[in-house]
Amino acid sequence: MSKKGKVLLIIGGVIIAIIAFFTCLYFYLLTPVSKSSELVSFTVNRGDSKMQIVDNLKSAGLIKNKYVALIYIFLSGNTNIQAGDYELNRVESTNDIIKTLANGDIIEIGKEYVSITFKEGITLKEYLQLLSEKTNLNYDEMLNEINDEEFLNNLINDYWFLTSDILNQDIYYALEGYLYPNTYQIYTETNLNEVIRKMLNETNKKLETIKDEINASDYSIHEILTMASIVEKEAISYSDRQKVAQVIYKRLNINMNLGMDVTTYYGVGKSLKETLTNLDLNDENPYNTRITSFIGLPVGPICNPSIDSIKAVLNPAETDYTYFYADVITGNVYFTNDYNEFLEFKRIYG
């Protein structure tokens, strides 16, 4: 190679290294300022410039760098920042904070609200129970309203990830699996539509980040969330969740029943702390995959899964297991291709 060629190669390498460095720095500076949840009141005044807004966000300790935040505003298209009062969280990324401001998810000054945490993997009924304890909403009334067809069709029209699949009459609760588990600030005097849309907005934020992967899947969004809900209940670590997802895919591909207890628990309305009876295991409901004649997925999700479980379903492990046993005490999951070894896992850890 000529001397000139070497110089050009070096210059090119330096340029690529610089670009890579600043790209990594850009994405790092968009990450949350804290790993601990801490709510911060924040106001966008009518007439505030974008520079003033990011200055205020930086002063409030909500973002790492105001210039990177400003760049993100224009690159993302979230330029229509809404004036109002907000409750923001330091565990949120700059991306999520800017989207919140652009969506206008404001609070009303003087109106009482409460912070409610919906944990990953809990069911819609548990969501409603928490709401009934913390707000004016009545549990039984919410149970009736949550499956109202007109209510659901309005939501389907407004959210790309909600489809007619949720209208299946065999589904216990239509929005099971679609309400993203997180901490929400909810008015103590509210209505179900307002609360559900707040949660669906959060679901939208999460799913938008993996929309291309969802669209590329051979499975529908409803099937993906159904699998993710099973994965959420069966495993804790991301690597184990990927392996559980692989087992699900394999069993579907070879027309083998899933045979997973967590679907039976949901189908008969029991918690994982309770004991399944033979009657439960043989109950012919649209969720119980323990019945050997039940081939395929449950009719819908069995809980509200985390983004990690959804990603695990979209990116299953490159393994070839057929069986696994989840130890509910330690959280460990044991995988095998040998049925006798599976039975031994069950004997030892069951």
Side-chain angles (χ1 to χ4, degrees), residues 28-40 57-58 60-65 88-97 182 206:
Y28 167 74
L29 292 174
L30 288 175
T31 58
V33 296
S34 175
K35 293 182 179 179
S36 301
S37 180
E38 183 181 353
L39 294 175
V40 177
L57 286 171
K58 176 62 177 169
L62 287 162
I63 59 174
K64 288 180 176 176
N65 186 283
L88 303 176
N89 199 315
R90 289 201 168 100
V91 296
E92 293 181 303
S93 66
T94 299
N95 317 39
D96 286 340
I97 287 173
N182 210 335
K206 300 299 182 183

Side-chain angles (χ1 to χ4, degrees), residues 286-303:
Y287 292 90
N288 186 12
T289 66
R290 277 295 303 270
I291 298 176
T292 55
S293 60
F294 192 119
I295 305 299
L297 293 169
V299 69
I302 61 172
C303 71

Side-chain angles (χ1 to χ4, degrees), residues 109-122:
I109 297 299
K111 194 171 180 180
E112 186 180 352
Y113 63 92
V114 64
S115 179
I116 306 178
T117 297
F118 302 92
K119 295 180 180 179
E120 299 169 345
I122 68 172

Side-chain angles (χ1 to χ4, degrees), residues 207-263:
L207 295 184
E208 281 285 351
T209 64
I210 52 174
K211 191 173 183 179
D212 289 343
E213 292 177 78
I214 292 171
N215 291 336
S217 173
D218 292 332
Y219 290 86
S220 69
I221 180 63
H222 187 71
E223 291 170 325
I224 290 169
L225 291 178
T226 298
M227 288 187 276
S229 70
I230 296 173
V231 167
E232 183 75 40
K233 286 290 192 180
E234 294 284 12
I236 297 174
S237 73
Y238 183 65
S239 62
D240 279 348
R241 287 174 175 175
Q242 287 181 296
K243 292 173 187 173
V244 170
Q246 175 267 300
V247 172
I248 292 174
Y249 281 124
K250 180 172 183 179
R251 291 193 170 202
L252 291 175
N253 289 337
I254 63 176
N255 288 322
M256 179 180 178
N257 76 305
L258 296 186
M260 297 184 180
D261 285 353
V262 292
T263 66

